[in-house]
Amino acid sequence: MEASHGGEKVKSRLCSICNQRRPALKRPKTLQQICKECFYEVFEEEIHRVIVDNKLFKPGERIAIGASGGKDSTVLAYVMSELNRRHNYGLDLFLLSVDEGITGYRDDSLETVKRNEVQYGLPLKVVSYKDLYGWTMDEIVKMIGLKNNCTFCGVFRRQALDRGAALLKVDKLATGHNADDIAETVLLNILRGDIARLSRCTSIITGEDGPIPRCKPFKYTYEKEIVTYAYFKKLDYFSTECIYSPNAYRGFAREFIKDLERIRPRAILDIIKSGEDFRIATTTKMPEQGTCQRCGYISSQKWCKACVLLEGLNRGLPKLGIGRTRGVNNDHRKDDKKIDTKNIQSKPCGTLDF
């Protein structure tokens, strides 16, 4: 294909992969100019290779896909469904959503997930903070304000996903964490000096010694490419940010990562590689994993973080488990006599068996 320009014949640019169609985008990861069809192919093939090379799944397994209605989980559900059929993975797939109880945000995004349930033909299970903990995020924010609400939500959501996965009797939980998310987490753990999390945050499979392992098929997939894929495929997803997270600490790390990516696109993968290559000194004391004495969930303390936070809410002391203060875990002996046992049992931290 040629075009005339100033009396000269100049070849018009074609897709750098197929060399047949006009390019529709420049890949954020490789900066290749490619057409839509080739983009779909390389995007899906890269995820397939990650799944196969890392042995994320076995034939016959039941897999829950953490579904928030956002771009990452919607694309993950769509691509997993496609690859499962195309490559005959032999998996039973389910959608698992958490209703945190955020009016004007989660209630709307759950409607998107319900549409995805029909569009992709995947059964949906929804678990709620209200049912598990006796509190919604709206009620928690009303009590504690906007400063530390993400701490409560993150801790509760992680445990809620495990409890939902247990109800579905799945073998693994797949989440939509992408390369940008993992690079942010590496950076955050360095800034916080959180050695225990730094040592495992780049692992593509985590929790193998816990109730239900989690895996990240999008570990090496850029957020920009996920958004582009969703846009070109016209996938149905919810794009509004959580109304309670504008000042979340992670947001500052996210902006920093975006700035680095603009200068050097490979920075995201390089940060992940650095996180993978960190070696923790053998003299470093790591927390020992056990189980929470109250709810039976995995914990390195006598009470898991969710139980400590919930105890603070129920006693009108919402700052009990915030920051480095150990609250109940430090003072559980002297506090045990003061704790209203009836109040604890009325709003348990979810007492499902694992």
Side-chain angles (χ1 to χ4, degrees):
M1 189 181 293
E2 296 182 339
S4 179
H5 180 69
E8 297 179 7
K9 287 186 176 180
V10 181
K11 286 186 177 180
S12 60
R13 186 169 290 168
L14 295 173
C15 170
S16 63
I17 294 179
C18 69
N19 206 33
Q20 294 178 351
R21 293 175 288 265
R22 293 181 66 84
L25 75 151
K26 180 189 283 189
R27 282 197 76 186
K29 185 189 288 187
T30 63
L31 302 183
Q32 285 178 301
Q33 302 245 11
I34 60 176
C35 64
K36 278 187 189 180
E37 289 77 5
C38 286
F39 173 61
Y40 297 152
E41 188 175 331
V42 295
F43 182 88
E44 293 165 5
E45 180 62 21
E46 283 180 8
I47 294 163
H48 170 60
R49 289 263 51 94
V50 168
I51 290 171
V52 172
D53 292 347
N54 292 278
K55 299 180 174 61
L56 296 191
F57 311 114
K58 296 175 185 173
E61 284 188 327
R62 293 166 63 90
I63 307 297
I65 299 169
S68 66
K71 62 186 181 327
D72 299 315
S73 61
T74 300
V75 172
L76 180 62
Y78 177 82
V79 171
M80 284 285 294
S81 298
E82 290 295 306
L83 295 178
N84 191 36
R85 282 193 290 268
R86 187 183 308 161
H87 297 286
N88 195 26
Y89 290 164
L91 305 175
D92 287 328
L93 301 177
F94 302 85
L95 297 177
L96 173 59
S97 291
V98 176
D99 181 2
E100 299 96 339
I102 303 175
T103 306
Y105 169 67
R106 184 55 73 216
D107 47 358
D108 291 340
S109 67
L110 281 174
E111 291 304 313
T112 304
V113 178
K114 289 171 185 174
R115 292 195 297 273
N116 293 158
E117 175 186 17
V118 176
Q119 292 159 354
Y120 307 150
L122 301 178
L124 169 65
K125 174 70 179 175
V126 180
V127 292
S128 74
Y129 283 8
K130 189 68 173 178
D131 290 342
L132 286 175
Y133 311 118
W135 292 79
T136 65
M137 276 308 298
D138 285 342
E139 291 168 345
I140 292 171
V141 170
K142 192 173 180 181
M143 174 182 276
I144 70 167
L146 288 170
K147 188 173 182 183
N148 294 305
N149 62 86
C150 288
T151 298
F152 284 83
C153 197
V155 170
F156 287 169
R157 189 192 304 113
R158 179 173 184 80
Q159 194 171 120
L161 281 169
D162 278 340
R163 297 191 182 284
L167 288 171
L168 285 170
K169 295 180 170 59
V170 296
D171 299 290
K172 288 191 185 82
L173 173 63
T175 63
H177 291 98
N178 58 50
D180 300 54
D181 296 328
I182 296 170
E184 288 164 17
T185 304
V186 171
L187 184 60
L188 282 172
N189 288 332
I190 291 172
L191 294 174
R192 290 170 174 157
D194 195 333
I195 302 302
R197 286 192 175 89
L198 182 58
S199 66
R200 64 175 182 267
C201 70
T202 58
S203 300
I204 196 163
I205 300 177
T206 57
E208 290 178 283
D209 54 349
I212 296 165
R214 297 182 178 213
C215 61
K216 309 181 190 84
F218 284 172
K219 177 181 175 180
Y220 302 108
T221 308
Y222 278 32
E223 183 178 58
K224 283 182 180 176
E225 297 203 349
I226 292 170
V227 173
T228 303
Y229 186 90
Y231 174 75
F232 283 155
K233 285 282 189 178
K234 296 181 171 59
L235 299 185
D236 184 2
Y237 69 94
F238 185 77
S239 58
T240 302
E241 290 292 323
C242 176
I243 58 176
Y244 293 144
S245 66
N247 299 314
Y249 188 39
R250 178 177 283 272
F252 298 103
R254 181 172 297 129
E255 287 304 311
F256 180 63
I257 295 291
K258 296 299 180 197
D259 289 342
L260 287 176
E261 184 189 11
R262 277 190 283 273
I263 299 167
R264 187 165 171 271
R266 275 205 60 88
I268 290 174
L269 293 179
D270 289 341
I271 291 172
I272 294 173
K273 182 70 166 60
S274 298
E276 290 173 336
D277 291 344
F278 277 129
R279 293 291 176 265
I280 310 303
T282 54
T283 54
T284 302
K285 187 177 180 182
M286 302 291 279
E288 294 180 12
Q289 184 172 292
T291 55
C292 174
Q293 290 183 354
R294 180 174 161 189
C295 73
Y297 190 71
I298 53 174
S299 175
S300 59
Q301 301 287 326
K302 298 214 171 187
W303 282 19
C304 69
K305 186 72 168 177
C307 280
V308 174
L309 292 173
L310 190 59
E311 174 64 11
L313 289 172
N314 291 339
R315 291 171 59 188
L317 301 169
K319 293 184 179 179
L320 191 65
I322 297 296
R324 294 194 178 277
T325 58
R326 296 295 181 184
V328 173
N329 279 319
N330 265 3
D331 306 319
H332 67 94
R333 290 185 185 86
K334 66 181 180 182
D335 281 352
D336 279 347
K337 295 177 182 177
K338 302 177 188 175
I339 294 171
D340 181 355
T341 307
K342 184 183 288 186
N343 189 36
I344 292 176
Q345 292 172 345
S346 67
K347 293 183 178 179
C349 177
T351 51
L352 300 175
D353 292 328
F354 285 102

